[in-house]
């Protein structure tokens, strides 16, 4: 058997059926990136990066973790080393990332954006740096053109309720053909672990809403005004980054008392903390349902494990891991409460711990009520699971316990404009799963029908599932 070339046109495709599915149905489908962490200001200003380090290494804690593991000093990750020095150290790390998804992503991105075929290593590093940086300094490689190059049709950023959304407004008014829409991420509005931080955020909320918050009802009114404001900017998606779902029993009077306590800068005990978060999750979910939004829950991360580095660098710098939380009962209780009151919006649940895949995949079936195809979704593998093995596990479990044919597919969940080949990676893995079963006689050899399912998962399902609308209201105010 002839050995395949690394990253050839049939990369990850192990059968003729898989090749037909990918090249004939998946490859050219547009991309809806319904959850990412791109900076909307950079899109509005059509930023051009000075070099490949700025576009590739800034803010990328995946790469930082690999470099640290490979023995690289922090100055080459988040420190004051030059951009060139950082790239050289990353290039020295790449050969040691064999079998880590970073090895595949790195070379896919070099090939798809810059047509660079060689392997990145210390020998090729200088030329790759110079060639990529030169291209990035041309207009063809501005961030808007990077999105166009990857056939992106919609982008949803991730935004705190306090965000002015001014850059979303600018983009809507500019006529940029790729909608860049906000997503309402109210994690700070329910994070009462630290009274000082919570009240600092609350004071900003008062300033943004030009209101005075003296009690819980005032707080809800201020937050609701932000939720309404996001809707006027074309937002139709919310997102929560949670370790776990909170579903404690609570009364209105209890939450008022708890709010008064935290508002007085007093620390809450554990049950008070959980009750407040439970109440806020229900409130946000009801607002989402009223507006017909899609709500997303990213569950299972154990964040900020290294206290020393958290104090030095802050959050989101690569010190998080998979948690071992108990999701079953609280998730069922939370969804059931909303369903019982007929206030359960379209919902996507992302799971970080693969041991909970079957739990989540079976849970969604409890609340798919026939009103919308795939109303409750088991979201794609994310963070530590957005790699080959994690994607296969997620899709196999969803196939066994639900309908993968109604799956809304992949997203980047990335801070980098060079991450969109992750959709290609996902699509190749998806086509290989279906193609292998066609070859094995486990699925009929009906390429046209299976291909239509592939196209749905890659793009059509997401297009039909999300209620994306242009930010008409905000454009009119300009």
């Amino acid at each position: 058997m002839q050995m395949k070339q690394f990253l050839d046109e049939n990369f990850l495709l192990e059968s003729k059926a898989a090749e037909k599915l990918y090249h004939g149905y998946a490859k050219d489908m547009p991309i809806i990136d319904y959850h990412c962490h791109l900076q909307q200001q950079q899109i509005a200003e059509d930023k051009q990066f000075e070099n490949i380090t700025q576009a590739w290494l800034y803010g990328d804690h995946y790469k930082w973790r690999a470099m640290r593991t490979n023995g690289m000093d922090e100055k080459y990750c988040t420190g004051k080393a030059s951009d060139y020095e950082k790239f050289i150290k990353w290039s020295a790390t790449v050969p040691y990332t064999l079998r880590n998804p970073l090895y595949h992503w790195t070379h896919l991105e070099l090939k798809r954006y810059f047509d660079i075929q060689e392997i990145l290593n210390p020998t090729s590093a200088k030329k790759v740096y110079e060639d990529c940086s030169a291209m990035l300094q041309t207009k063809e490689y501005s961030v808007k053109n990077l999105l166009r190059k990857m056939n992106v049709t919609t982008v949803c950023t991730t935004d705190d309720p306090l965000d002015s959304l001014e850059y979303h407004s600018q983009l809507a008014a500019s006529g940029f053909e790729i909608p860049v829409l906000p997503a309402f991420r109210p994690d700070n509005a329910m994070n009462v672990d630290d009274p000082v931080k919570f009240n600092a955020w609350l004071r900003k909320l008062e300033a943004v809403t030009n209101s005075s918050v003296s009690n819980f009802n005032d707080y809800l009114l201020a937050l609701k005004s932000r939720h309404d404001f996001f809707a006027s900017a074309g937002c139709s998606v919310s997102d929560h980054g949670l370790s776990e779902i909170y579903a404690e029993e609570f009364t209105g009077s209890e939450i008022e008392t708890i709010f008064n306590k935290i508002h007085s800068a007093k620390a809450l005990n554990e049950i008070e903390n959980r009750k407040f978060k439970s109440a806020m999750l229900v409130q946000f979910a009801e607002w989402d349902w009223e507006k017909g939004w899609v709500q997303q829950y990213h569950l299972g991360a154990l964040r900020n494990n290294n206290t020393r580095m958290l104090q030095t660098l802050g959050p989101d710098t690569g010190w998080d891991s998979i948690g071992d939380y108990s999701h079953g009962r609280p998730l069922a209780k939370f969804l059931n409460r909303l369903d019982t009151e007929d206030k359960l919006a379209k919902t996507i649940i992302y799971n970080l711990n693969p041991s909970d895949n079957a739990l989540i995949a079976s849970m969604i079936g409890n609340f798919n009520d026939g009103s919308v195809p795939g109303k409750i979704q088991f979201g794609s593998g994310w963070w530590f699971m957005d790699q080959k093995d994690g994607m296969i596990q997620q899709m196999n479990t969803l196939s066994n316990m639900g309908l993968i044919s109604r799956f809304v597919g992949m997203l980047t969940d990335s801070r980098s404009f060079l991450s969109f080949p992750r959709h290609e990676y996902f699509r190749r893995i998806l086509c290989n799963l279906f193609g292998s079963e066609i070859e094995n006689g486990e699925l009929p050899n009906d390429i046209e029908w299976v291909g239509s399912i592939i196209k749905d998962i890659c793009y059509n399902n997401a297009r039909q599932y999300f209620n994306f609308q242009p930010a008409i209201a905000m454009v009119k105010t300009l």
Side-chain angles (χ1 to χ4, degrees):
M1 182 177 178
Q2 186 176 2
M3 183 181 296
K4 294 179 67 175
Q5 295 296 310
F6 175 63
L7 221 64
D8 69 2
E9 65 175 5
N10 293 320
F11 174 59
L12 297 178
L13 306 176
E14 300 173 344
S15 67
K16 292 298 181 183
E19 292 172 12
K20 290 179 182 178
L21 291 173
Y22 177 71
H23 294 293
Y25 296 90
K27 180 180 178 181
D28 296 325
M29 293 302 289
I31 289 173
I32 294 176
D33 199 29
Y34 54 86
H35 174 72
C36 72
H37 298 273
L38 296 179
Q39 295 183 36
Q40 61 270 29
Q41 180 178 355
Q42 293 182 342
I43 305 174
E45 296 175 351
D46 203 16
K47 180 180 175 63
Q48 288 185 245
F49 297 102
E50 296 177 12
N51 55 59
I52 183 63
T53 301
Q54 292 181 8
W56 221 18
L57 295 176
Y58 281 25
D60 193 335
H61 51 81
Y62 287 81
K63 293 185 177 74
W64 296 342
R65 283 170 70 98
M67 291 171 71
R68 292 163 184 151
T69 303
N70 199 42
M72 301 300 180
D73 189 271
E74 190 63 31
K75 70 180 180 180
Y76 299 112
C77 301
T78 62
K80 295 183 178 180
S82 70
D83 287 347
Y84 180 71
E85 290 174 319
K86 289 178 178 179
F87 185 84
I88 294 300
K89 293 297 184 181
W90 165 240
S91 301
T93 296
V94 169
Y96 294 93
T97 64
L98 290 174
R99 304 201 76 240
N100 185 289
L102 283 166
Y103 196 81
H104 286 163
W105 294 348
T106 292
H107 293 99
L108 270 177
E109 290 165 17
L110 288 174
K111 193 168 187 177
R112 296 297 177 252
Y113 287 99
F114 306 102
D115 197 29
I116 288 177
Q117 310 295 325
E118 58 256 60
I119 300 298
L120 182 60
N121 54 40
T123 301
S124 64
K126 184 175 185 294
K127 185 175 187 303
V128 170
Y129 180 86
E130 291 174 348
D131 289 350
C132 290
S133 298
M135 283 184 265
L136 284 166
Q137 291 170 22
T138 66
K139 190 62 179 177
E140 182 184 352
Y141 282 81
S142 70
V143 296
K144 287 183 179 179
N145 283 323
L146 291 175
L147 295 174
R148 293 180 177 117
K149 185 183 288 287
M150 290 295 109
N151 199 17
V152 178
T153 61
T154 305
V155 171
C156 280
T157 57
T158 304
D159 309 280
D160 187 271
L162 302 182
D163 197 292
S164 69
L165 305 185
E166 61 183 294
Y167 298 108
H168 293 89
S169 178
Q170 288 181 23
L171 284 160
S174 72
F176 182 45
E177 74 276 13
I178 301 173
V180 180
L181 305 173
F184 189 78
R185 175 98 169 217
D187 294 356
N188 288 323
M190 54 181 283
N191 186 0
V192 287
D193 297 347
D194 185 329
V196 175
K197 288 184 179 179
F198 177 76
N199 281 290
W201 188 88
L202 177 54
R203 287 190 291 273
K204 293 178 182 177
L205 175 66
E206 290 177 314
V208 167
T209 58
N210 193 28
S211 63
S212 176
V213 175
S214 59
N215 54 50
F216 184 60
N217 187 61
D218 291 343
Y219 187 55
L220 290 184
L221 289 173
L223 285 173
K224 179 63 162 55
S225 72
R226 299 307 297 169
H227 199 271
D228 293 342
F229 173 71
F230 269 61
S232 76
C235 179
S236 59
V237 176
S238 71
D239 181 64
H240 300 263
L242 303 169
S243 296
E244 56 186 313
I245 284 285
Y246 300 94
E248 303 292 335
E249 295 290 342
F250 61 86
T251 65
S253 60
E254 280 183 313
I255 301 305
E256 290 174 6
T257 300
I258 291 169
F259 179 82
N260 291 338
K261 183 176 180 179
I262 191 72
H263 195 206
S264 301
K266 297 177 182 176
L268 304 181
N269 61 39
E270 182 177 355
I271 188 60
E272 290 171 333
N273 187 307
R274 297 181 69 87
K275 282 178 179 283
F276 186 82
K277 291 176 179 176
S278 300
M280 295 309 301
L281 278 179
V282 170
Q283 186 63 76
F284 291 133
E286 290 181 352
W287 291 342
D288 292 346
W289 170 79
E290 289 172 1
K291 291 186 172 72
W293 286 10
V294 174
Q295 56 191 9
Q296 302 174 89
Y297 299 92
H298 286 80
L299 305 179
L302 184 63
R303 300 175 188 269
N304 303 320
N305 298 281
N306 189 321
T307 304
R308 176 176 60 86
M309 297 309 295
L310 173 65
Q311 293 172 348
T312 302
L313 300 176
D316 301 321
T317 51
W319 313 98
D320 312 305
S321 59
I322 295 171
D324 55 349
Y325 302 95
S326 179
H327 296 303
R329 291 184 183 277
L331 184 56
K333 187 176 180 180
F334 173 69
L335 295 174
N336 188 60
R337 173 175 181 151
L338 296 169
D339 184 77
T340 300
E341 297 176 358
D342 195 22
K343 294 182 178 180
L344 180 56
K346 294 179 190 175
T347 302
I348 306 176
I349 302 167
Y350 304 89
N351 170 51
L352 195 56
N353 192 327
S355 65
D356 292 324
N357 278 348
L359 185 157
I360 302 298
S362 63
M363 182 67 70
I364 66 173
N366 297 329
F367 300 98
N368 271 313
D369 56 13
S371 61
V372 177
K375 176 181 176 180
I376 313 299
Q377 292 273 330
F378 179 16
S380 61
W382 71 292
W383 204 339
F384 295 104
M385 295 296 104
D386 63 353
Q387 27 76 5
K388 180 182 175 182
D389 185 57
M391 291 180 193
I392 290 172
Q393 287 187 54
Q394 185 269 343
M395 287 192 278
N396 280 338
T397 308
L398 175 57
S399 299
N400 288 330
M401 300 186 182
L403 296 181
I404 194 172
S405 55
R406 294 301 186 181
F407 180 32
V408 294
M410 190 55 178
L411 65 169
T412 64
D413 194 20
S414 174
R415 292 170 171 81
S416 172
F417 288 93
L418 300 183
S419 290
F420 285 94
R422 291 185 191 180
H423 284 262
E424 175 187 340
Y425 198 59
F426 167 83
R427 292 173 180 185
R428 288 177 177 274
I429 292 166
L430 171 70
C431 291
N432 193 59
L433 288 176
F434 277 86
S436 295
E437 294 189 357
I438 290 174
E439 296 277 348
N440 291 335
E442 298 175 61
L443 292 175
N445 186 17
D446 186 344
I447 295 295
E448 185 175 351
W449 171 247
V450 177
S452 71
I453 297 296
I454 294 294
K455 292 173 79 170
D456 287 346
I457 296 170
C458 292
Y459 175 74
N460 292 328
N461 287 345
R463 180 177 58 83
Q464 294 167 6
Y465 187 78
F466 291 94
N467 184 32
F468 293 136
Q469 300 292 333
I472 296 173
M474 284 199 68
V475 172
K476 288 181 179 177
T477 65
L478 290 174

